[in-house]
Amino acid sequence: MSSSPKNYWIRNPNFLENQEDAILISDNKGKLLDSNVQAKELGLIPEKNDLKHSAWYKKLSNADSKEHSHLTLHLSSGKRRFICRAVPILVDEKEPAKAFYFRDITEKSFTEAKAKRYETLFRRRENRIKELEIRDKLTGLFNREYTIESFQAEIYRAERSGTTIGVVYLHIDGLKEINEIFGNNGGDLLLKEMGRILLENSRRSDISSRIGGEKFLLLLPGAHKNIVLERAEKIKRLFSESSSNGSWGEVKITLSLGVAMYPEDGSTYDILLQKVQIGN
């Protein structure tokens, strides 16, 4: 139906009832002249057939007849969502009036919203699974496989951009003895504490990982050597303070360190890893 005022409305119940949309016809003062059963079932017909006091009337009456409006209405049938349009017409070829079309999209909106929620949950689950695949379960640090891939990627990036990478290797001395005396639970406490300290003292761009047993690695892309050394000493100090508060008896727990810089100390993953592990 076009927006021309030459659209004529001749009352035809069969036409109204055969429409998918709910339709209401009103005169230019808002008095209801005609409607179909869909409008009645949805609760769009007000008392005394006066549309002026309906929540939607003013907005639709002033809307451009070529545009569609999206409305959410609280009706006797419940909360409903509609795509609406108001078209100027002439009743019986002489009286100016308007035809209001309401297409109920409540179920469609609900289905789309539900699908979106499921999609969000699915993505979260995927991300969670991916996170579990690249994290060490005990410490929450990145695992060895992810670290090797990331290390290589950071080297490529540093090579292109001409930047540095700080590499810090950390080894918990005395962990084997702790496990023998206190069981694996005792050793796990130390490993978890090491993980906490690394995570709390890493930048967003850093890669902190457990690469096996009592061995840890911290990569600091773009960091200068003095910053890398300061970070390594801070982590060592924090771990020493934390482990000294434990009830480990005569067992001496220390943290050995190795520090290397790309490209100063090596240009490949293997060389840099060998460099930081010398003496450990």
Side-chain angles (χ1 to χ4, degrees):
M1 189 176 283
S2 72
S3 59
S4 169
K6 292 184 180 180
N7 291 315
Y8 299 132
W9 181 263
I10 300 174
R11 291 186 177 91
N12 185 337
N14 291 329
F15 173 80
L16 277 179
E17 302 310 328
N18 289 332
Q19 298 303 301
E20 178 184 352
D21 300 336
I23 302 175
L24 299 94
I25 310 297
S26 77
D27 63 18
N28 61 358
K29 294 182 179 179
K31 179 182 178 182
L32 182 66
L33 301 176
D34 212 343
S35 61
N36 60 2
V37 67
Q38 290 91 325
K40 183 177 181 181
E41 289 176 349
L42 287 170
L44 287 166
I45 300 175
E47 294 182 6
K48 300 180 181 179
N49 294 332
D50 185 0
L51 300 180
K52 291 196 303 295
H53 301 297
S54 297
W56 52 266
Y57 180 79
K58 185 175 181 180
K59 179 175 181 178
L60 289 187
S61 294
N62 296 326
D64 187 332
S65 60
K66 297 180 181 179
E67 302 294 331
H68 291 81
S69 301
H70 290 257
L71 293 179
T72 299
L73 302 175
H74 294 271
L75 306 170
S76 58
S77 61
K79 183 180 179 181
R80 317 294 298 185
R81 292 180 172 86
F82 298 97
I83 295 178
C84 311
R85 189 180 174 203
V87 180
I89 60 173
L90 293 175
V91 175
D92 297 331
E93 302 187 15
K94 56 182 179 179
E95 297 296 332
K98 280 195 174 182
F100 297 97
Y101 290 76
F102 291 79
R103 175 155 297 179
D104 187 3
I105 60 169
T106 306
E107 190 63 32
K108 180 182 178 183
S109 298
F110 173 78
T111 301
E112 289 176 349
K114 188 176 181 181
K116 190 173 182 179
R117 284 199 298 273
Y118 280 133
E119 184 179 355
T120 300
L121 289 173
F122 181 73
R123 285 180 179 176
R124 286 178 181 172
R125 183 172 175 271
E126 275 191 325
N127 291 336
R128 177 60 178 161
I129 292 172
K130 184 178 180 181
E131 188 74 6
L132 289 172
E133 289 175 348
I134 63 175
R135 293 280 182 181
D136 173 59
K137 293 180 180 179
L138 182 63
T139 62
L141 300 170
F142 290 118
N143 60 27
R144 181 181 180 84
E145 290 75 15
Y146 177 80
T147 302
I148 292 173
E149 292 179 6
S150 300
F151 201 160
Q152 193 62 61
E154 290 298 337
I155 288 175
Y156 287 147
R157 182 185 299 177
E159 184 179 6
R160 291 195 304 270
S161 60
T163 54
T164 60
I165 304 172
V167 184
V168 180
Y169 173 81
L170 308 109
H171 183 282
I172 300 178
D173 305 311
L175 183 65
K176 183 178 179 181
E177 194 173 354
I178 290 292
N179 284 331
E180 290 173 350
I181 298 174
F182 299 96
N184 289 335
N185 288 338
D188 287 351
L189 288 175
L190 282 175
L191 293 170
K192 287 179 181 179
E193 184 62 11
M194 185 75 248
R196 182 191 69 80
I197 292 171
L198 278 172
L199 289 172
E200 291 182 358
N201 291 275
S202 298
R203 305 168 302 173
R204 183 183 292 272
S205 58
D206 295 342
I207 299 169
S208 50
S209 59
R210 181 187 178 196
I211 58 173
E214 64 277 25
K215 301 174 183 179
F216 298 83
L217 201 65
L218 176 62
L219 306 180
L220 298 92
H224 294 294
K225 189 171 184 178
N226 62 325
I227 298 297
V228 177
L229 292 172
E230 287 176 7
R231 186 80 59 82
E233 288 301 324
K234 180 181 180 182
I235 291 170
K236 184 175 183 179
R237 174 177 55 79
L238 290 172
F239 182 77
S240 176
E241 292 172 354
S242 177
S243 60
S244 65
N245 294 327
S247 302
W248 310 117
E250 299 297 320
V251 182
K252 184 179 180 181
I253 302 169
T254 58
L255 188 66
S256 298
L257 283 177
V259 175
M261 295 294 299
Y262 169 89
E264 179 183 335
D265 298 311
S267 57
T268 68
Y269 164 80
D270 292 329
I271 293 174
L272 288 166
L273 198 60
Q274 183 180 19
K275 178 76 175 180
V276 293
Q277 292 187 42
I278 291 176
N280 292 290

